[in-house]
Amino acid sequence: MIDVWAAVPVKAFTGAKLRTGSLLTPEQREVLAATMLEDVLAALAGATRLAGILVNTVDPVATELAIRYGGRVVTEGALDGHTGAVNGMARVLVAEGKGAMLTMPGDIPRVTSVEVDAVVSSCLPPPSFTIVPAHDELGSNAVLCAPPFSVPLRFGDNSYFPHLMAARRQGIEPTVVRLPGIGLDIDHPADLQAFMAARPRKPTRTLALLERLGL
């Protein structure tokens, strides 16, 4: 079995989720970002096929949450954006001889432990690459690289198809896994609406928060 480590990059919560500003105040956005991260960490902590959890952040609230859920906090590349933080965690894992990295963001609160285990189970012998696209097939909401640098990663609003092409340039045919929880990230007001309308309803911390806020 390959040892797969989860790798979650987390920006500072101050100023988080600006694109939801038409619905939420700055303070509400900060609380939303922390609450979504806690849902993600709970799903990772409940997974049975992970070797461990890395969280790359300098945010004190995110650091406390990571430790609460058994995660290990690193800061390698934490201030270099999403891609830089993921690459920083990959460098840490490679230096320690770890076999694979599963990176996912902290804003997919409908993710479940079962989905995490499904992605890990899809991992083929190295070198290999598994990807879970966002629901719109633009973003890359989970990426599993075995070894951690098997495919060069570059995240952004339209990274899914570029990641498929990057894997093929390395001679790796990507494994694509579509999962509804991982696929629903929250960046825009429309994402909040989709999250609230998603069925079956899941008793996440994020859902409870948004209901309290009257969304």
Side-chain angles (χ1 to χ4, degrees), residues 64-129:
E64 191 276 329
L65 285 171
I67 293 170
R68 184 188 307 172
Y69 284 91
R72 174 182 160 199
V73 178
V74 298
T75 58
E76 172 85 16
L79 301 179
D80 298 331
H82 189 118
T83 300
V86 170
N87 287 333
M89 288 183 282
R91 288 192 294 272
V92 169
L93 293 174
V94 167
E96 296 177 356
K98 310 302 186 187
M101 175 182 72
L102 168 60
T103 185
M104 58 178 59
D107 63 355
I108 49 172
R110 279 180 63 86
V111 61
T112 65
S113 300
V114 171
E115 287 189 341
V116 174
D117 283 335
V119 180
V120 176
S121 296
S122 75
C123 183
L124 299 175
S128 64
F129 180 80

Side-chain angles (χ1 to χ4, degrees), residues 36 39-40 43 104-116 119 132-135 141-142 177-186 195 198-200 202 204:
M36 291 193 296
D39 279 331
V40 171
M104 58 178 59
D107 63 355
I108 49 172
R110 279 180 63 86
V111 61
T112 65
S113 300
V114 171
E115 287 189 341
V116 174
V119 180
V132 182
H135 62 96
N141 283 15
V177 180
R178 290 178 171 82
L179 296 165
I182 292 175
L184 184 52
D185 54 315
I186 295 180
F195 176 82
R199 296 294 184 271
K202 295 178 181 175
T204 61

Side-chain angles (χ1 to χ4, degrees), residues 14 42 52 61 83 132 144 150 158 189:
T14 303
V61 175
T83 300
V132 182
L144 199 165
S150 61
N158 187 14

